[in-house]
Amino acid sequence: MGKAGGHCRLLAWSAASLMAAWATAAPAQPAADPAIEARIDALLARMTLPHKIAQLIQPDISTITPDDMRRYRFGSYLNGGNSGPGGNDKAPPAAWLALADAMWDASSAPLPDGEPAIPAIWGTDAVHGHNNITGATLFPHNVALGAADDPALMRRIGAATAAEIAVTGIDWAFAPTLAVARDTRWGRSYESLSEDPARVARLGAPMVEGLQGVPGTPGWLDQHHVIATLKHFFGDGGTGGIDRGDTTGPLAELERVHLAPYPPAIAAGAQTVMASFSSINGAKMHGNRALLTGVLRDRLHFDGLVVGDWNGHGLVPGCTNTDCAPALLAGLDVFMVPEDWRGLYATTLREAQDGTIPLARIDQAVRRVLRVKLRYGLFDKPRPAQRALAGQWDQLGSPDHRALAREAVRKSLVLLKNDGVLPLRATARVLVAGRGADDIARQSGGWTISWQGGGTLTKADFPGATSLYAGLAEALKAAGGTAELSPDGRFATRPDAAVVVFGEAPYAEYAGDSPDHALHDGEGLALLRKLHAAHVPTVAVLLSGRPLWTARELALADAFVAAWLPGSEGEGLADVLVGDAAARPRFDFTGRLAFHWPATCRDDAPPAYALGAGGSYAAPPHVPALVPVCAAPATTATTVLFRRVLGDDVVVSVRATAADPPQALPALVGNDAAGVVNVSTFDARAQEDGRRIEWRKAGLVSFALPRALPAKGHALVIEYQADPGSAGPIRVGADCAGCRITRVLPPAPGRAPLRIPLACLGPARVTGVRFSAPGAAVLRLISATIVTTHGARACSAGH
Ligand code: BGC
Ligand code: BGC
């Protein structure tokens, strides 16, 4: 923390009063029900140790089959962001329900010797609607819901999401995220509701009630509801913008900010809590007994289960993915161990047998799992496909749910500038430009069908969804106006006004971490410049997972709207932007910033707009004067082609020969249309941070740079791994027509990354870099960057 002192103090104060309110009255978690506890006692008495351990292990559906389930009897399982039934991320909803049934049957098949069979529960990241499922309603991400700041809306979204999850037979949502993101360079800022703990507290609890129902009422955890998860406990938003980082400071202060949303959400009945990947003052949360047990259990009286995050236990010092008694001893109840469950199961069983883990601790963890299952009524619920909402496919993306999402979009828009171009007259001729205008994947962000979102997703993956452009077109057409889609901003007839939809491309987790607050969308900026020069009144609509330094865009546009990541219902934007035929508003702006807006791109930026800012038609916002240059630390000396994700504005294309037309390969994953390569992800240093590029036949993979660089003074730096399947040879060269010189990559990389001065590759100015192979070959790429070199080092024979 430590930025913008005054305003942080204010937040701390409001959180402090909140903490005071619950410190006296401990949260009212539904009191232990003696009947349930007695049932647990009876179950525990009849369970074998191996089956108790299995209750504590949560594998991913990409690595277990129903047969594995029948054999081991896991307590739960998940689908990670990239997993779908049968290995298909885009499997139809019926395939999800069928898998739920198969796992149910396997886990509840009778066991010998009267041992109770305990049905498994399925957890999924439904973080903005049931977002792994094609056709589901995609609600705005939390960053937007924080701006809407409407507790009742949260409850309704939670209930709609629960219903859509229940349609597919899934039991458990890994939501809501209660992170209080204090540095929006963090790639998960969009999963955070606000930098203000009081606002997160106010909105998190009703989301829990929406997902689970309200404790003490008949609907609680019934067949229309699912189990909720508070995540990531705790301090995930305090790591200085670094995903999985360290949150530091006096504990009392950290609790005032980052723990504050938990008591009300626990009081709302939340049944599960997920431990954070991050650390507090250097200690990894997954092994943190003082906080997982001391604070969460003893002080907050949470009595549900604590689940780990994706191999989070393996990050605890002394642990691996397959061996981590310290996490259990610290208070973790369920290991999320997507792939390495066999090993972890075997070691944990052995450690329970040899006394490393006391049996009482195992029983306590199993008790919590069973308590959640009994409260959820699992033993009385029918097979997933027979439950109340199961298979009601028309509930997925139902008109009611879509209308609710549209309302949420409307309420979350924040107006940062309006010189009078808004509202658009409904009879106007409007040009709609920008990469984000007609792209549902882009407007939905990460955690959308796939983990990272974007990439290879197309309109076909979003049946029933409406793009921002389509929403505008519909509203204008209805009143006699027109919307012309023109991604590059060109127009034949002069429009009355333009809407430019620009901003960030989707990302998830660390792939979205940024060294500064700069927006890297040169194309959007160029469009705004062009329309400004042409004197077209222009509305800038920013799609982003966070506030960003947008001084230049704010200055160029006549109106500026932060639209966040609105999801599948683009009409919500048109509702507010398009007025009636007399240009009177139909809906006003009511969204208010849930995070301050940075005045510069530096990490210590003072606010340009404070928390809570946002204008309306009645009260247009005051636009501050901002410095139009980004004096960021020297990270700009590097041009990233690929590092975890493609560099900003880098475009990848594939060809069989230099003479063929290039085939785009968005996000550097999947197959090109000409069948030259197949690209998949692999784990180099973190999940899915590498790309395995497999040539099926001869061809070239080109990375076009956003702008040409002089060869002199620059070098290409490549990190890669040896691949046993690689024939070869793979060559690297500059991507230009007459370029003669290429270099062969050594099959096994050296210890240091390979460094090739660009001057060695031929042209004086380099517009791109290409990798080529004469036939079958594999390159396991970890990163490719262009760095500035000091001193004009000549291209020697050694290079
Ligand atoms: C999974 C995600 C998970 C991530 C962890 C991915 O492979 O699909 O669900 O969150 O790894 O880093
Ligand atoms: C994320 C969690 C998510 C889990 C399962 C992790 O990488 O941090 O938020 O619930 O994966 O996909």
Side-chain angles (χ1 to χ4, degrees), residues 58 60 78-82 123-125 127 174-175 177 188 191 229 231-232 243-244 274-277 308-311 336 447 451 509-510 687:
Q58 182 178 91
D60 185 86
L78 88 149
N79 68 285
N82 285 334
T124 191
D125 290 289
V127 299
F174 297 137
T177 297
R188 302 193 82 158
E191 297 184 61
T229 304
K231 72 186 191 185
H232 308 82
D243 193 40
R244 307 183 174 193
M274 188 184 292
S276 183
F277 279 132
D309 202 344
W310 188 276
N311 285 330
M336 184 187 288
W447 297 108
W451 178 40
E509 302 189 39
Y510 42 76
Q687 273 89 355

Side-chain angles (χ1 to χ4, degrees), residues 16-286:
S17 53
L18 205 132
M19 293 290 280
W22 63 262
T24 39
Q29 173 84 165
D33 172 343
I36 285 186
E37 300 305 311
R39 263 180 99 176
I40 296 173
D41 291 337
L43 289 167
L44 280 173
R46 288 156 55 217
M47 287 174 76
T48 62
L49 184 60
H51 287 154
K52 288 180 181 174
I53 301 297
Q55 287 297 312
L56 312 183
I57 302 261
Q58 182 178 91
D60 185 86
I61 58 168
S62 58
T63 67
I64 51 157
T65 62
D67 281 343
D68 294 324
M69 178 59 87
R70 187 180 299 264
R71 165 148 180 236
Y72 290 93
R73 307 298 173 118
F74 299 111
S76 58
Y77 57 103
L78 88 149
N79 68 285
N82 285 334
S83 310
N88 178 10
D89 216 12
K90 302 178 185 173
W96 298 74
L97 183 56
L99 181 60
D101 266 354
M103 290 295 193
W104 172 275
D105 293 347
S107 58
S108 53
L111 288 168
D113 305 325
E115 199 195 338
I118 301 182
I121 49 176
W122 179 348
T124 191
D125 290 289
V127 299
H128 64 135
H130 194 12
N131 48 59
N132 284 287
I133 305 291
T134 328
T137 311
L138 298 171
F139 292 93
H141 269 293
N142 280 349
V143 63
L145 298 181
D149 197 8
D150 180 339
L153 180 69
M154 298 298 285
R155 199 175 289 111
R156 290 157 65 211
I157 291 175
T161 303
E164 296 205 13
I165 298 171
V167 169
T168 56
I170 297 176
D171 309 279
W172 179 5
F174 297 137
T177 297
L178 297 183
V180 181
R182 297 311 282 263
D183 185 330
T184 49
R185 294 175 301 164
W186 186 34
R188 302 193 82 158
S189 297
Y190 66 86
E191 297 184 61
S192 169
L193 288 156
S194 179
E195 70 186 10
D196 172 8
R199 197 183 296 210
V200 179
R202 174 157 84 230
L203 299 176
M207 179 59 91
V208 171
E209 291 176 346
L211 287 166
Q212 298 194 345
V214 179
T217 68
W220 194 54
L221 291 174
D222 72 358
Q223 295 185 31
H224 296 255
H225 292 97
V226 296
I227 298 161
T229 304
L230 311 180
K231 72 186 191 185
H232 308 82
F233 187 84
F234 82 88
D236 49 351
T239 58
I242 296 164
D243 193 40
R244 307 183 174 193
D246 189 16
T247 296
T248 57
L251 193 59
E253 176 119 341
L254 299 183
E255 289 186 5
R256 270 197 298 278
V257 176
H258 300 285
L259 190 64
Y262 283 85
I266 291 172
Q271 288 302 297
T272 82
V273 167
M274 188 184 292
S276 183
F277 279 132
S278 53
S279 308
I280 286 197
N281 292 321
K284 280 277 168 206
M285 281 306 305
H286 279 67

Side-chain angles (χ1 to χ4, degrees), residues 415-420 422 588 609 614-623:
L415 181 66
L416 294 181
K417 176 175 182 177
N418 185 16
D419 285 352
L422 287 176
D588 205 346
Y609 296 91
S616 65
Y617 285 126
H622 166 72
V623 184

